[in-house]
Each structure stands twice: as structure tokens, then as C-alpha cells.
Amino acid sequence: VRKVEKEINSRILFSPATIRLALITATLGKNMMLVGDVGIGKSAIAELVCSAFSQNYGYWQLSRFTVPEQVFGSVDLKKFLEENQLVYNTQDFTNKDFLIFDEFLYADGKVRSLLNDVLVARRLSIDVRGQQPVKARAIYTTGNYIPDLTSEEVKMQGDVAIMDRMHFITFGELTSSMTEELVKLRFKDKKVGERRFEKPIANVADLDEVRKRARNLLTSSLIETFGRLTRFVSELQNNVLQKEYRVSRSEEHTSELQ
């Protein structure tokens, strides 16, 4: 996994923290949204992480014109014509190791509604077969902006629920100096700017091993430390609340509150 991190950092510049978070997402099996300027390397980071561990990943560029058949699979015409059943050929989608959705928030409402269930429970409910398990270990989404989550229109579209499904959200911007540096480096090193690995340099089992070792680190002493930290934060919060209450009762302590 360290080797993967090093290889991706040699291809995507100025984003070491985002790359590490993308690897953590893959390790823990979570959802991640990468937000930032065009050209910062959002989808490239996601694709490099996925292709480093498996070539069996899905990538979709979404828009308001994207229909469910383009993402989840075509309609099974034989079942439709012979049995009058609407069934989708979803096996390709449900069996991917990783999923990447570029410009996720531009997707049509129906597509996002179906993907919401995939993000939450790794299941797809699109036809008469009911809930189908989705194998995807981690899901990456990208976007150029974060919507105003207080807007009524955004709430109606379900963007608030979608954002709640993201365990990690990162932000990045591309400055003019960074752009100049990237152009220079791309002439010197062909690896810079590559979007994917032609073949995996690790495998999904490596991620399972990292997760297993991390879980074993949770020893009794560490649990005790977390307990002490939790009690400390709780006491600190109580003290702050009591202090605010006391100060609010006395004008002479206004400066202390500030």
C-alpha cells in the first residue's frame, strides 16, 4: 500500500493528503467525494487508486442526460418480450471492485436516487428482482463545487442526503504557478499526469491485510486512552457551558467570554 501511495504521488502532484485519504477510503471500504478545480486531478486520483489494486472497476462521467441503462446495465430484451418483465443486466455493475462517478451532482434525479442506496448499503434496487448486493469495496465521486445545502431546491433534489453518504470530502484548487510546474514536469516525466495503471501493482487482499492489522492495534491500553480523552472532552465542554452561562449573567465578564 505504501508502494501504491508512492507511485501515485509520482503521477499526481501537490495532492499527497488527498491521495492518502483516497487510499484510506479503499482500505476501509468507504465513500469519498473529491471537489476542486478542473485539472487538479480529482478523477485521476480515484482511477489511479482503483487501478492500482484491480482492473475490475467502473468509471462513469455523469450528466443530467445520463439514464439508468448507461450506468447499471441494459434492459434484458428477452425477458421483456417473452415474460413481460423489466429486468436490467446489472451483473457488470454489481460485480465491480470499485466504482467512480465523475461529476456526480450533475446526474439525473433517478440515477442519483438509485446510487443513494448503493452508497448507503451497497445494494441496487432497480427492477422486479428487488435488492441486489453490490460488491464495490469503495466508491469515489468527483465534482467542481459543493451545493448550498441550505437551499430548498438542493434539499428537494436530495443533495443533502447524498453529501451525508460521503465519509470523506476533500477540496483542491489549481493555481497558476501549479499549472506552470505541471506543464514543465510533464515534458520531463511521462508518468506525471497519467490517469491509471496499465496493470495492478498490488491487490485487494493487501487492503484487507492493512484493515486487519489496524483492527488488531485497538488494544485495551488504546481503548483506555480513548476513554480518558472522551472524559476530558466531556468535562471541557461542561466547563465551557458553565462559564458561558456565568458570564452571560454578568456584564463585567463580557471581555472574558470574548
Side-chain angles (χ1 to χ4, degrees), residues 62 101-107 112 115 119 141-142 162 166:
L62 302 182
F101 300 102
D102 218 347
E103 303 301 347
F104 184 82
L105 294 176
Y106 287 128
R112 279 196 293 180
L115 286 176
L119 289 166
T141 64
T142 75
I162 290 292
M166 301 301 164

Side-chain angles (χ1 to χ4, degrees), residues 58-175:
Y59 174 90
W60 292 268
Q61 175 86 37
L62 302 182
S63 74
R64 61 193 179 95
F65 302 110
T66 303
V67 295
E69 290 85 347
Q70 291 174 288
V71 179
F72 308 107
S74 60
V75 173
D76 188 326
L77 291 177
K78 184 177 180 182
K79 282 192 175 292
F80 183 72
L81 295 173
E82 295 180 1
E83 303 175 26
N84 198 28
Q85 285 190 342
L86 185 61
V87 175
Y88 289 82
N89 295 309
T90 58
Q91 60 273 12
D92 189 48
F93 177 86
T94 57
N95 287 320
K96 296 293 186 188
D97 289 325
F98 300 96
L99 302 175
I100 305 170
F101 300 102
D102 218 347
E103 303 301 347
F104 184 82
L105 294 176
Y106 287 128
D108 171 74
K110 185 176 182 181
V111 172
R112 279 196 293 180
S113 178
L114 290 165
L115 286 176
N116 189 40
D117 207 22
V118 175
L119 289 166
V120 176
R122 296 295 191 269
R123 66 190 180 197
L124 177 65
S125 303
I126 193 173
D127 54 34
V128 294
R129 291 173 295 178
Q131 297 175 353
Q132 302 171 56
V134 175
K135 179 185 173 184
R137 180 189 190 90
I139 299 176
Y140 298 90
T141 64
T142 75
N144 297 326
Y145 72 99
I146 288 287
D148 178 7
L149 299 181
T150 62
S151 162
E152 288 301 320
E153 182 183 355
V154 167
K155 290 178 182 177
M156 289 290 289
Q157 291 175 346
D159 286 345
V160 176
I162 290 292
M163 298 306 293
D164 281 343
R165 308 302 182 232
M166 301 301 164
H167 300 101
F168 305 110
I169 302 177
T170 63
F171 301 85
E173 61 178 349
L174 194 63
T175 64

Side-chain angles (χ1 to χ4, degrees), residues 214-228:
R215 191 177 291 133
N216 291 339
L217 288 174
L218 198 61
T219 60
S220 57
S221 60
L222 189 57
I223 293 173
E224 185 182 341
T225 302
F226 275 121
R228 288 201 302 272

